[in-house]
Amino acid sequence: MSSPERVRVVLAQRRGARIVRTRVEVQEQTAVGDAMIRGLVRTQLVLAIRLALLAACLLCAVPLVMFLFPALSDVAVLGIRLPWVVLGALVYPVLLTTGWIYVRQAERNEQEFADLVDD
């Protein structure tokens, strides 16, 4: 008589149970799920504050540079004085780039959170 084939049990086969438990903790807002969500919100808030401060520093530097170097205020580009060109046209690429960076980083944070929940 032949013996039944042996089945090897590995830890990777148990992942399904952990995924369900972690998702349930987040959905039911248990203490663990609440801590995970607060961590995500804190990460997103820190990212937003950092990028807002960076954009504010860049935009506030324009008047400061014009104050420190008054000769720059007299420079004309296409008949328009340089401070107006900088404030009227060059501000938008800075804001668009800041927004683009924020969206990329926020999506990365959310993907890491989803990976943590699914892991």
Side-chain angles (χ1 to χ4, degrees):
M1 205 168 224
S2 66
S3 62
E5 190 174 313
R6 293 174 58 175
V7 177
R8 182 176 176 192
V9 178
V10 293
L11 184 61
Q13 293 176 349
R14 291 187 47 212
R15 283 190 177 207
R18 182 162 185 221
I19 289 173
V20 171
R21 189 183 81 220
T22 306
R23 283 186 182 166
V24 168
E25 287 177 353
V26 171
Q27 289 173 349
E28 291 181 358
Q29 295 179 351
T30 62
V32 173
D34 189 43
M36 292 173 70
I37 291 173
R38 275 189 280 124
L40 175 64
V41 170
R42 186 179 315 114
T43 303
Q44 299 290 51
L45 179 63
V46 168
L47 173 64
I49 290 171
R50 277 192 341 215
L51 288 174
L53 286 174
L54 175 68
C57 288
L58 288 174
L59 296 177
C60 291
V62 173
L64 183 63
V65 168
M66 296 302 165
F67 178 74
L68 293 176
F69 303 102
L72 288 176
S73 297
D74 297 331
V75 175
V77 177
L78 300 173
I80 304 171
R81 293 177 59 182
L82 185 62
W84 289 107
V85 171
V86 171
L87 292 174
L90 297 180
V91 167
Y92 295 106
V94 170
L95 294 177
L96 286 173
T97 303
T98 303
W100 179 73
I101 291 170
Y102 176 77
V103 168
R104 277 191 60 216
Q105 295 297 321
E107 287 176 349
R108 182 182 58 92
N109 291 341
E110 290 173 2
Q111 185 61 45
E112 288 176 359
F113 176 77
D115 291 343
L116 179 67
V117 169
D118 288 343
D119 204 12

